[in-house]
Amino acid sequence: MAGFTFPPSRAEALQRLARFVPAAGRIYERERNTDAGPEQPSRVSLLSPYVRHRVITEYEILAEVLADHSLSVAEKFVQEVLWRTYWKGWMEMRPSVWARFLQERDRHRDSFHDQRAIADAENGSTGIEGFDDWAKELVETGYLHNHARMWFASIWIFTLRLPWTLGADFFLRHLLDADVASNTLSWRWVAGLQTVGKTYLATTDNISRYTNGRFAPKGLAHEAIALTEPAVEPANNLAPLPPHDPLQPALLLVTHDDMHPESIFKRDYDVRSTLVAADPDLLCGDGGRRFVTTLAKDMSARALEHFDCPAHVINTLDVETLITSANDAGVRHIITPYAPVGPVTEALATLARPLAKEGITLVRVQREWDRRFWPHAKKGFFAFKERMPDLLRESGLI
Ligand SMILES: Cc1cc2nc3c(=O)[nH]c(=O)nc-3n(C[C@H](O)[C@H](O)[C@H](O)COP(=O)(O)OP(=O)(O)OC[C@H]3O[C@@H](n4cnc5c(N)ncnc54)[C@H](O)[C@@H]3O)c2cc1C
C-alpha cells in the first residue's frame, strides 16, 4: 500500500507544519472528518507522530497557526491540539487508569477465549469492509485518520465484541504516535467508560459519507451498550516539582516522551553532556522503535549544536549507563524533561534511588505548558475548553 509516510526528523515536522498552516482555519473545520484514504491528499495535519514525541511542541504548533489565523477561525484545530494536552493532564491525575488498562490487557491476552477472532481482526480478515482496510493501513503506515480510529474501535468493541484493551494494545503496537493517554482514554471513550454511559456507535451511513463512498460496511452493530467497570479513583492533585538550580553542571537525559529539550533548557543551563535514550523495551512496536531510533539520532545532532556538548544515543536506559555518563561528564545532576504517566516514568522511578546512592540526583523538569494546562483537566473536556482562551493568553499565544 502506498500511503502516508513520516520521515523521522524535526526538520520534517517543521516543514509539515508550515505546509499545513494555511488550511488550519475554516478548511480544517469543514473537512477534518473526511478520511479520503492514505493515497489521497489529507486535510488533517499528519503531525501526531511528531507532537506525540514532542519533536515539535503543542506551543510551537499553535504559535504558527495563531500567527496566521484568529482564534475564532482556527478554534477547531486549536481544540484538537488541546485534546492531547487534556488527555495527558487527565491521566496524570489518575495514573491508576493506566495500571488498570495494563492489568486488563494482560488478563485478556492470556485468557480471552477466541484468540482466532483477535488474529482475524488484526490481520484484516474479518470480512468487514473498511475495518479490514484500516487494520492493514495501520500495520503498513503506522497511522490512521482520527475518524477511522473511532470507527475501528467501535466495530472492534460493539460489532466484533472483542475486549477493548486488546484493540487498544493493537493500536499501541503499530501507531507511530502511540500514546498512553490519547490511546487509552480514546478507547475508553468509545467504549462508554470515559464519559460514563456515553458510547460511540459507528454506522454504515457515517462511514460511507466520510470516506467519500469508499466503504459501506454491512452488518454493523445497531446499538452500543456502554461497558462498565468499578469506579475510577478520584483525581490526585498535581504536586509541584521540587525547585532546581539551572546553574548546576548537569547531564541531560532525553527520552522519547520529549525530544525538544532546547525549549525547556535554555542556554543558561550548564549542560555538560547529553544522552538520548531510544530504549526498545520502553516502546511497543517495531515501527515505533525504528521511528524513535532515527529521531534520537536527529536529536543528538541538535543537542551538539544547541548545548555545545557531546551527545550520544543509548539503547538501554539503565543505571550503569547513567552513572558512567555522569562520572565521565564530571557531574552529580541529571536533568530530564518531565515524562507523563507511562513506561518512561516507570523506568525513571526505578532509577532514581540507585542513582541517589551514588550521590547523583535525577531532576525532572516540567514544561510551563503542562504546568499551566494540566491542572484544568480534572473534569470533562468542556470545562477544560472554557479555560482555553485564558490559558492561551497566559501562554502569550493570543
Ligand atoms: C481510538 C483512538 C485512539 C487514538 N490513539 C491515539 C494515540 O495513540 N496517539 C495519538 O497521538 N492520538 C491518538 N488518537 C487521537 C487522534 O486520532 C490522533 O491524534 C490524530 O488522528 C492525529 O492525526 P493528525 O495529527 O493528522 O490530526 P489533526 O486533526 O491534524 O490534529 C492536530 C493535532 O491535534 C491532536 N489531536 C487531534 N485529534 C485528537 C484526539 N482525538 N485526541 C487527542 N489529540 C488529538 C494531535 O496532537 C494532532 O496531531 C486516538 C483517537 C482514537 C479515536
Side-chain angles (χ1 to χ4, degrees):
M1 178 188 296
F4 302 131
T5 55
F6 298 89
S9 73
R10 175 162 159 87
E12 171 65 28
L14 293 174
Q15 281 164 20
R16 206 166 266 234
L17 174 62
R19 282 197 302 273
F20 172 74
V21 164
R26 298 283 180 228
I27 297 178
Y28 179 83
E29 184 182 21
R30 218 174 34 241
E31 298 180 28
R32 75 197 170 90
N33 279 325
T34 297
D35 178 10
E39 271 120 38
Q40 297 300 319
S42 180
R43 279 310 191 186
V44 290
S45 69
L46 302 174
L47 280 168
S48 57
Y50 304 96
V51 64
R52 182 268 173 257
H53 297 291
R54 280 196 163 154
V55 174
I56 188 169
T57 63
E58 292 100 312
Y59 177 88
E60 288 179 293
I61 295 175
L62 295 188
E64 289 299 312
V65 166
L66 291 169
D68 219 52
H69 304 277
S70 66
L71 177 59
S72 66
V73 168
E75 190 171 4
K76 200 68 225 172
F77 182 75
V78 174
Q79 277 176 18
E80 292 305 317
V81 172
L82 289 181
W83 266 105
R84 170 180 300 284
T85 304
Y86 169 75
W87 284 140
K88 281 170 94 170
W90 194 96
M91 186 66 104
E92 203 61 28
M93 289 185 266
R94 298 163 186 88
S96 64
V97 171
W98 171 241
R100 182 186 287 191
F101 161 74
L102 292 175
Q103 269 174 10
E104 283 284 295
R105 179 201 63 183
D106 293 348
R107 190 168 65 77
H108 280 124
R109 260 189 193 161
D110 294 340
S111 65
F112 183 63
H113 67 279
D114 195 352
Q115 294 295 333
R116 173 75 197 270
I118 302 288
D120 284 348
E122 292 195 357
N123 298 334
S125 43
T126 63
I128 303 176
E129 197 179 304
F131 183 91
D132 287 349
D133 303 81
W134 299 315
K136 289 174 191 154
E137 183 183 336
L138 171 62
V139 171
E140 285 175 35
T141 67
Y143 176 84
L144 282 183
H145 186 282
N146 182 59
H147 221 161
R149 298 183 199 207
M150 290 162 63
W151 296 320
F152 187 93
S154 179
I155 295 170
W156 179 287
I157 298 168
F158 300 115
T159 299
L160 297 172
R161 297 184 171 276
L162 299 174
W164 75 269
T165 53
L166 297 187
D169 183 58
F170 176 51
F171 271 24
L172 285 180
R173 281 183 283 120
H174 293 284
L175 284 170
L176 296 180
D177 63 29
D179 179 78
V180 163
S182 289
N183 191 58
T184 314
L185 303 180
S186 299
W187 274 84
R188 284 173 54 83
W189 177 80
V190 172
L193 296 168
Q194 189 64 17
T195 309
V196 176
K198 188 176 173 294
T199 53
Y200 175 75
L201 180 67
T203 65
T204 306
D205 283 355
N206 183 268
I207 293 173
S208 172
R209 174 169 172 205
Y210 287 107
T211 59
N212 291 340
R214 283 185 303 134
F215 305 121
K218 306 267 183 316
L220 300 187
H222 291 295
E223 61 174 1
I225 297 171
L227 307 187
T228 54
E229 64 175 358
V232 165
E233 284 170 27
N236 301 333
N237 281 324
L238 293 172
L241 295 176
H244 66 281
D245 176 4
L247 299 180
Q248 292 274 8
L251 170 72
L252 168 62
L253 171 66
V254 180
T255 71
H256 69 258
D257 275 342
D258 195 319
M259 302 184 97
H260 196 247
E262 304 96 301
S263 50
I264 309 180
F265 305 108
K266 300 284 161 54
R267 285 183 195 273
D268 54 347
Y269 274 81
D270 186 1
V271 176
R272 299 286 170 93
S273 182
T274 300
L275 290 183
V276 190
D279 186 334
D281 290 343
L282 302 179
L283 289 148
C284 292
D286 290 342
R289 290 183 183 122
R290 280 194 297 274
F291 188 68
V292 163
T293 301
T294 314
L295 285 179
K297 290 180 193 146
D298 184 62
M299 167 70 248
S300 103
R302 293 198 326 266
L304 201 64
E305 200 178 305
H306 180 88
F307 297 110
D308 192 22
C309 69
H312 306 282
V313 175
I314 53 169
N315 52 22
T316 358
L317 183 54
D318 61 19
V319 73
E320 290 77 24
T321 310
L322 293 185
I323 292 171
T324 310
S325 304
N327 288 341
D328 289 351
V331 301
R332 299 287 86 193
H333 291 271
I334 301 178
I335 53 174
T336 189
Y338 185 90
V341 170
V344 171
T345 292
E346 287 152 25
L348 293 179
T350 65
L351 295 173
R353 189 173 294 189
L355 286 173
K357 272 196 182 155
E358 295 292 318
I360 299 171
T361 2
L362 179 63
V363 183
R364 303 190 303 155
V365 182
Q366 205 171 23
R367 280 184 182 276
E368 213 175 298
W369 184 267
D370 298 340
R371 244 190 343 258
R372 179 169 290 137
F373 282 82
W374 284 0
H376 301 283
K378 266 211 167 108
K379 298 189 182 141
F381 185 72
F382 186 77
F384 185 75
K385 203 172 73 175
E386 296 276 278
R387 302 280 303 137
M388 184 177 86
D390 286 345
L391 297 171
L392 292 174
R393 209 166 288 118
E394 283 168 28
S395 309
L397 285 170
I398 54 174

